[in-house]
Amino acid sequence: MNLVLFSLCALHFLLNLISVSCERQDINALLYEKFDKAASCFRLLNGTHQFGCSSSVSGSLGVIHFIQNEHDIDWLINNAKAGPYMAVVPPKIFNQRNLMLELQSSKDISGILLAINGSSDRPEYFSPDDTCPNRYSGEGTCSEAWNPEGTSLLLVDWGKPMFVVKDPVVISKMHECFLKFNQPFDDSQIHKSLCSLQMKSHMHAAVDTPTCIRRSNSITFVFNPLSYCDGMGDKNIISTLEPIKKPDNRSILLFSTRLDTASMFDGVMLGAMSTMTGLVTFLATAKLLSSMLPANSSYERNVMFAMFNGEMYDYIGSGRTVYDITQNTFPKTSNPIGFEHIGLMVDVSQLSKSTQLYCHTKKMNNDVDLLTKDFCRSLETNAVKPVTVSTEVDEELPPSSVHPFLKKDKNIPAVVLANHAKQFINRYYNGLMDNASNIEYRYYNSSDIPEGSVQDALAKISTSLARSLYEWVTKKRYSGSEVVKPDIIDELLHCYLESRNCKIFKDANAPEEKLTADLTPLYVGVYKSVNPITKLTALTHVYFTGRDVNISESNCKSSVDDYSYYWISGQSGKGECKQTTVQLLKALSPAFEIDGYDWTSREYSTWSESVWQEMSLRMFLKPSGQQEMVTLIIGLVTLVLSFVTVYWLKSQAHLLFQIEVGVAC
Amino acid sequence: MDISRMNNGSKLYLCKWYFRAGFACLPIVWLINSVWFFEEAFKKPPYEEQAQIKRYVTFSGIGAAIWIVGMAIWVYIFQTHRAEWGEFGDDLTFTIPTGIK
């Protein structure tokens, strides 16, 4: 008994010891306060320029200075003496392009930290994208300012590091340190130890995409395997209502949306209104349309569902598709389609709780006008109350996946559906605050969803859309009563905006698959690997549109003829086999594959992402110049003194250390 | 190798061969030759082979000096113009620096 007690005691003691030793006490941990939740801006390149941020190789250092207004920036750039400084700016300053460019061009500023003090720190607008997104890759001259409040900060080469911190605890730590050590803000700063930041986010790539691709492929790569950048891209998700037969001269409605968002900072991009609302509506519409049109009956027309990836970066996915169509390899080399098969293209762009839907068509003054207007009219008549549809005739269509198609063949009838007329309603386009609260979303978790909520609006828009697609395919009005339930929209938005570990993603995955509760960013990234969110979205699309087939798990795989087979959990969670036409197709710009491609031609996207090794943000106390000097001098004096002493001792050794010979021990 | 233990004939032979080897674009060999035999050529009391050794040492020294000056000029030009030369500059570079032009 005593022995047990003793061993318990010993164990307790040991545990105590471990818990104490877990806190790092070494010099490094005492000197630096590291912030893990900070996200860094990184470098992107296109055919002609570099954009974004990079620190020096060993990390950039600077004294913290919190900026509240223009005067602070003035002081920092013109009067401050203890530089270089790290400018800590709130979103309202970040929104002012001219002020940010002042900071960017000043040599006394070594880095910028965007401090978003919790979710309440939300300016009225915040969009770092261009006023006309994808300005240089669209069809036309981009004369409309679709995104009037866009600051275009995404397209600035900062030449210094930039981080964003959203955690109020971290910001208050920095602010405390700043107030304690850096006040008063005058010349006395030179003589003091100052609270400072180190930003490490060194980017390997430079100049432009052709340069860094060339460098990555250079001969010395064998001896010096350093990579510089990778082409951006991922996978497009493509499926058809019915498989394309050979020969198949049916007219196809290309129903599309985008799958990605853009962001300046690594790992923080949600794109609730910029992308999510359109994507969720698209998925729900495809689901409803598949159940409205019974399987295995032949229709006069076909629908192709396309979720294009990398669209925010000069239409990577749709540009690739256009290229593949010209190469006769889309969607399959065995049964390719041509542009002449595309009877109509309907793209779902930004939506919100607004039930006023705009059906954008392009002014063409020919037969194309009739086709597009016909569709808008059909959407108008099929609209489920309170959804109302207005036809908006534009000189140029809003930025969307239709552009690469129109660039190739301007007579493709194209329609873009959005919640806005000539200007975005979304004031946070591709911004950090384009989150659930931007679309006024809250998760109802199977409880009653009120009318007027975003879920309700998107469900009704989906229903209206599915009915007009039905009419286009069958040339008959839909007489059934199937609708998209707001619950599905609720669950989908929960999956995309709040937690991956959600009901629909679980049902759509293989039974043994485990999902984590975090969010996957929608930034397209580099082509090398498939994004988790692309896989999840493809599986959801399979779950929604695939047909149930009675096949066992072991036989439910790969593809046979026109179909692929997926084994997914299903609602029961036991697993079921789905037959589908869903394919994941390459969304990599052809610019990276065409030999001798002219990188300045603007024909295809040329974006690449720099390689980096480490991103870190830490705070420390930088001693004053005076103190550093004193330390150095003391060190040098000690060094010289030690040499003199040793020399003197050695020369006097025969006197100092007399060896007594002949003494017996 | 300790040349002080060699006979004069061997010294001349060695010095001559170091001088010849330097022509194979080996300026370091010339540099070593000029330093190593400097004492033999200029400090030692005269002996028969010394005149020849003196000549080899002098020319090795001059050769090495020309190389050093040439290299220094090239390094300066390369370092200051590499970025301007673009693709040609990258082709000449073994370790391309990260993050800069």
Side-chain angles (χ1 to χ4, degrees):
Chain A
M1 190 65 197
N2 270 344
L3 198 71
V4 175
L5 259 177
F6 174 74
S7 50
L8 269 176
C9 254
L11 190 73
H12 184 77
F13 177 73
L14 250 170
L15 281 176
N16 264 341
L17 212 76
I18 290 166
S19 69
V20 167
S21 62
C22 271
E23 204 172 302
R24 280 182 60 177
Q25 292 288 329
D26 56 316
I27 300 281
N28 191 297
L30 292 174
L31 278 178
Y32 294 103
E33 168 113 41
K34 203 168 175 211
F35 302 116
D36 292 324
K37 280 184 196 157
S40 171
C41 161
F42 48 94
R43 180 173 287 166
L44 294 178
L45 310 101
N46 69 7
T48 50
H49 291 83
Q50 62 176 38
F51 306 92
C53 326
S54 174
S55 75
S56 61
V57 184
S58 54
S60 305
L61 302 175
V63 176
I64 294 184
H65 196 84
F66 274 76
I67 286 171
Q68 290 308 325
N69 50 44
E70 280 174 60
H71 302 296
D72 294 344
I73 294 182
D74 240 24
W75 179 80
L76 207 52
I77 291 174
N78 301 320
N79 304 325
K81 294 269 160 51
Y85 285 89
M86 285 280 175
V88 182
V89 297
K92 64 171 189 200
I93 296 281
F94 198 83
N95 252 342
Q96 298 180 51
R97 184 180 162 86
N98 55 334
L99 295 184
M100 289 307 288
L101 291 184
E102 258 181 63
L103 289 174
Q104 183 256 336
S105 56
S106 167
K107 287 218 160 32
D108 288 327
I109 310 293
S110 57
I112 299 167
L113 182 76
L114 169 60
I116 304 174
N117 204 358
S119 51
S120 56
D121 190 6
R122 202 179 161 85
E124 262 176 58
Y125 59 90
F126 192 88
S127 171
D129 212 321
D130 200 345
T131 48
C132 180
N134 281 351
R135 179 181 296 274
Y136 301 109
S137 52
E139 176 247 2
T141 52
C142 233
S143 46
E144 310 260 2
W146 296 104
N147 185 26
E149 287 153 342
T151 51
S152 291
L153 292 182
L154 264 175
L155 303 173
V156 171
D157 178 21
W158 294 89
K160 45 189 65 154
M162 201 183 325
F163 276 72
V164 62
V165 175
K166 294 206 268 186
D167 187 355
V169 179
V170 170
I171 296 170
S172 72
K173 257 185 194 169
M174 284 183 193
H175 197 243
E176 240 169 62
C177 178
F178 162 69
L179 290 181
K180 190 170 166 193
F181 295 99
N182 298 8
Q183 286 196 94
F185 309 123
D186 52 32
D187 290 357
S188 69
Q189 275 196 335
I190 314 168
H191 310 293
K192 290 189 303 191
S193 293
L194 298 168
C195 193
S196 303
L197 280 180
Q198 187 200 39
M199 290 182 179
K200 225 178 196 178
S201 62
H202 177 65
M203 298 292 145
H204 283 194
V207 190
D208 51 27
T209 298
T211 302
C212 79
I213 293 285
R214 189 186 70 227
R215 286 178 174 183
S216 296
N217 296 335
S218 75
I219 318 160
T220 58
F221 190 75
V222 183
F223 311 101
N224 181 32
L226 199 62
S227 61
Y228 295 86
C229 72
D230 300 290
M232 285 168 69
D234 195 39
K235 295 279 183 182
N236 291 328
I237 305 171
I238 309 288
S239 73
T240 48
L241 192 66
E242 291 198 321
I244 293 163
K245 302 278 185 216
K246 195 181 191 181
D248 196 335
N249 281 320
R250 281 183 292 178
S251 197
I252 294 173
L253 184 144
L254 180 55
F255 184 47
S256 67
T257 193
R258 57 174 168 252
L259 202 50
D260 71 311
T261 62
S263 174
M264 280 176 86
F265 300 96
D266 183 41
V268 280
M269 37 293 253
L270 274 175
M273 201 191 290
S274 312
T275 301
M276 263 11 317
T277 47
L279 179 62
V280 163
T281 306
F282 177 93
L283 288 168
T285 307
K287 180 182 194 303
L288 180 59
L289 189 66
S290 302
S291 67
M292 277 173 167
L293 293 163
N296 304 325
S297 47
S298 242
Y299 301 104
E300 273 179 63
R301 291 164 155 183
N302 204 350
V303 177
M304 178 178 275
F305 302 102
M307 286 173 258
F308 294 119
N309 221 328
E311 294 299 277
M312 294 301 186
Y313 293 94
D314 289 336
Y315 310 117
I316 297 173
S318 49
R320 175 66 195 216
T321 302
V322 166
Y323 173 75
D324 285 344
I325 294 176
T326 60
Q327 301 292 309
N328 285 322
T329 56
F330 182 83
K332 276 185 177 156
T333 321
S334 50
N335 300 338
I337 63 161
F339 291 108
E340 69 278 7
H341 292 113
I342 303 174
L344 181 67
M345 183 169 179
V346 177
D347 189 83
V348 187
S349 187
Q350 303 179 73
L351 297 171
S352 55
K353 64 184 264 184
S354 157
T355 47
Q356 170 65 53
L357 192 63
Y358 290 91
C359 188
H360 290 264
T361 64
K362 203 184 157 196
K363 202 175 180 181
M364 293 291 292
N365 301 322
N366 59 17
D367 293 350
V368 175
D369 277 342
L370 297 175
L371 295 168
T372 52
K373 283 203 181 108
D374 253 8
F375 182 81
C376 291
R377 210 168 302 127
S378 143
L379 192 58
E380 229 174 294
T381 48
N382 282 308
V384 182
K385 272 183 187 154
V387 175
T388 49
V389 181
S390 338
T391 305
E392 185 76 26
V393 181
D394 305 315
E395 292 295 325
E396 278 168 28
L397 288 171
S400 62
S401 308
V402 302
H403 279 267
F405 287 87
L406 293 180
K407 218 158 84 174
K408 200 77 193 175
D409 179 358
K410 64 176 170 27
N411 283 321
I412 293 174
V415 168
V416 177
L417 304 175
N419 61 358
H420 61 82
K422 296 285 181 224
Q423 286 182 348
F424 291 171
I425 289 182
N426 188 2
R427 307 186 78 185
Y428 302 91
Y429 188 74
N430 279 337
L432 286 166
M433 290 115 187
D434 188 7
N435 51 17
S437 63
N438 188 29
I439 55 169
E440 294 169 52
Y441 167 75
R442 92 177 175 82
Y443 183 40
Y444 283 95
N445 196 9
S446 330
S447 57
D448 277 345
I449 295 163
E451 279 190 24
S453 61
V454 62
Q455 291 92 324
D456 187 56
L458 296 185
K460 281 173 177 151
I461 291 171
S462 297
T463 307
S464 320
L465 197 48
R467 286 182 179 176
S468 37
L469 293 183
Y470 177 94
E471 193 178 329
W472 194 87
V473 172
T474 61
K475 299 187 178 169
K476 282 196 290 266
R477 279 203 72 172
Y478 179 67
S479 52
S481 59
E482 281 196 71
V483 291
V484 171
K485 294 200 179 80
D487 307 51
I488 291 200
I489 306 285
D490 191 44
E491 289 294 336
L492 277 173
L493 284 174
H494 176 62
C495 290
Y496 282 108
L497 296 175
E498 293 176 346
S499 167
R500 252 200 292 177
N501 189 14
C502 60
K503 196 174 161 298
I504 289 182
F505 282 174
K506 263 190 242 165
D507 292 353
N509 252 293
E512 68 277 7
E513 202 76 32
K514 290 274 174 292
L515 293 163
T516 48
D518 56 345
L519 283 172
T520 351
L522 271 104
Y523 164 68
V524 63
V526 298
Y527 177 67
K528 280 180 175 168
S529 58
V530 182
N531 288 341
I533 203 71
T534 307
K535 276 186 206 156
L536 287 170
T537 307
L539 287 169
T540 304
H541 191 47
V542 169
Y543 174 49
F544 280 178
T545 61
R547 314 242 187 247
D548 289 317
V549 280
N550 198 8
I551 296 177
S552 68
E553 184 179 2
S554 51
N555 293 326
C556 180
K557 53 188 153 196
S558 70
S559 46
V560 186
D561 304 329
D562 304 319
Y563 293 105
S564 313
Y565 296 87
Y566 286 85
W567 185 257
I568 62 165
S569 295
Q571 257 178 327
S572 63
K574 286 183 193 138
E576 53 192 56
C577 191
K578 289 274 187 191
Q579 181 195 50
T580 174
T581 56
V582 172
Q583 297 181 76
L584 290 175
L585 297 179
K586 198 187 253 189
L588 172 69
S589 168
F592 294 95
E593 292 181 357
I594 299 170
D595 260 342
Y597 177 75
D598 176 10
W599 293 96
T600 56
S601 69
R602 292 185 190 174
E603 194 178 356
Y604 298 113
S605 168
T606 52
W607 287 96
S608 64
E609 184 193 284
S610 172
V611 170
W612 63 81
Q613 257 159 3
E614 189 194 352
M615 282 176 168
S616 73
L617 176 69
R618 52 189 195 173
M619 185 168 73
F620 64 102
L621 211 53
K622 186 176 91 73
S624 68
Q626 237 172 345
Q627 195 187 330
E628 281 176 331
M629 211 35 120
V630 168
T631 314
L632 180 71
I633 288 168
I634 291 174
L636 287 175
V637 167
T638 316
L639 182 75
V640 171
L641 272 180
S642 65
F643 273 120
V644 171
T645 318
V646 170
Y647 181 78
W648 182 78
L649 283 175
K650 214 178 162 193
S651 63
Q652 306 294 318
H654 58 286
L655 295 173
L656 292 168
F657 311 107
Q658 262 182 358
I659 302 161
E660 288 174 22
V661 188
V663 176
C665 304
Chain B
M1 213 178 338
D2 187 355
I3 50 169
S4 59
R5 288 187 195 168
M6 283 181 179
N7 64 42
N8 292 340
S10 308
K11 283 179 198 162
L12 176 60
Y13 178 79
L14 198 63
C15 185
K16 187 161 59 182
W17 271 105
Y18 264 71
F19 177 67
R20 285 178 183 171
F23 282 103
C25 293
L26 297 169
I28 303 272
V29 174
W30 276 343
L31 185 69
I32 289 169
N33 201 22
S34 59
V35 172
W36 201 14
F37 285 96
F38 186 79
E39 221 160 290
E40 287 293 329
F42 297 104
K43 295 279 170 77
K44 286 278 167 72
Y47 53 93
E48 198 193 329
E49 290 85 356
Q50 202 184 31
Q52 270 183 292
I53 291 181
K54 205 182 266 179
R55 220 173 57 227
Y56 288 130
V57 167
T58 314
F59 284 121
S60 293
I62 292 170
I66 290 171
W67 265 95
I68 290 166
V69 172
M71 289 282 249
I73 291 171
W74 168 245
V75 168
Y76 176 77
I77 293 173
F78 178 72
Q79 293 295 342
T80 49
H81 292 74
R82 188 192 60 81
E84 268 170 52
W85 292 338
E87 189 171 352
F88 176 62
D90 281 352
D91 288 345
L92 291 178
T93 313
F94 186 77
T95 308
I96 298 167
T98 57
I100 54 169
K101 216 176 162 190

